[in-house]
Amino acid sequence: MSLPKDSSGSIVLERQSAQVKPPPMYQVILLNDDYTPMEFVVVVLQKIFGKTQEEAMKIMLTVHHHGRGTCGVYPQDVAATRIQQVLQFARSRQHPLQCVMEPVGD
Ligand code: TYC
């Protein structure tokens, strides 16, 4: 069997982009509720999502006013782990904070 050749006789290799497709990405979204303290949400955003105090405050206020806000965009396994960390931390302090993930582009 012979390798595929182009018109000049060079061997044609598979395009690299077909082999190294980036992983699908997921947004981690924080949801509003009436009970979780604002200060706790700011700590969550700093501790779990690596936000600065200013970034965390801005995201928390977006969620408070609009019902939801993006904390970060990650591959599926990283997004799922972040959500587990948020829920575990919130439940350990008896807060009802909720967090979900959505595929980017939805
Ligand atoms: N709405 C909450 C309050 O008034 C604050 C809050 C912000 C709760 C963001 C959840 O994801 C949240 N205490």
Side-chain angles (χ1 to χ4, degrees):
M1 210 184 72
S2 64
L3 290 163
K5 308 244 175 57
D6 67 13
S7 56
S8 71
S10 302
I11 294 168
V12 177
L13 298 176
E14 198 176 335
R15 289 156 62 92
Q16 193 185 23
S17 63
Q19 297 167 8
V20 289
K21 224 170 99 185
M25 301 296 276
Y26 290 79
Q27 280 187 313
V28 174
I29 296 164
L30 213 49
L31 304 178
N32 191 32
D33 67 72
D34 292 338
Y35 305 102
T36 304
M38 291 184 175
E39 305 72 39
F40 180 80
V41 178
V42 171
V43 171
V44 164
L45 288 161
Q46 292 179 94
K47 274 182 63 135
I48 299 176
F49 296 96
K51 303 299 181 188
T52 63
Q53 163 87 32
E54 291 72 27
E55 290 168 337
M57 183 68 76
K58 212 168 146 182
I59 295 169
M60 183 281 293
L61 287 173
T62 297
V63 179
H64 179 69
H65 290 299
H66 302 286
R68 52 190 275 147
T70 301
C71 312
V73 176
Y74 308 97
Q76 188 170 29
D77 55 341
V78 179
T81 301
R82 294 279 196 277
I83 290 174
Q84 285 313 310
Q85 291 171 325
V86 171
L87 298 182
Q88 196 171 33
F89 185 32
R91 298 304 170 264
S92 78
R93 303 292 194 279
Q94 275 82 51
H95 298 314
L97 186 61
Q98 289 291 351
C99 188
V100 297
M101 64 199 258
E102 282 181 4
V104 168
D106 244 28

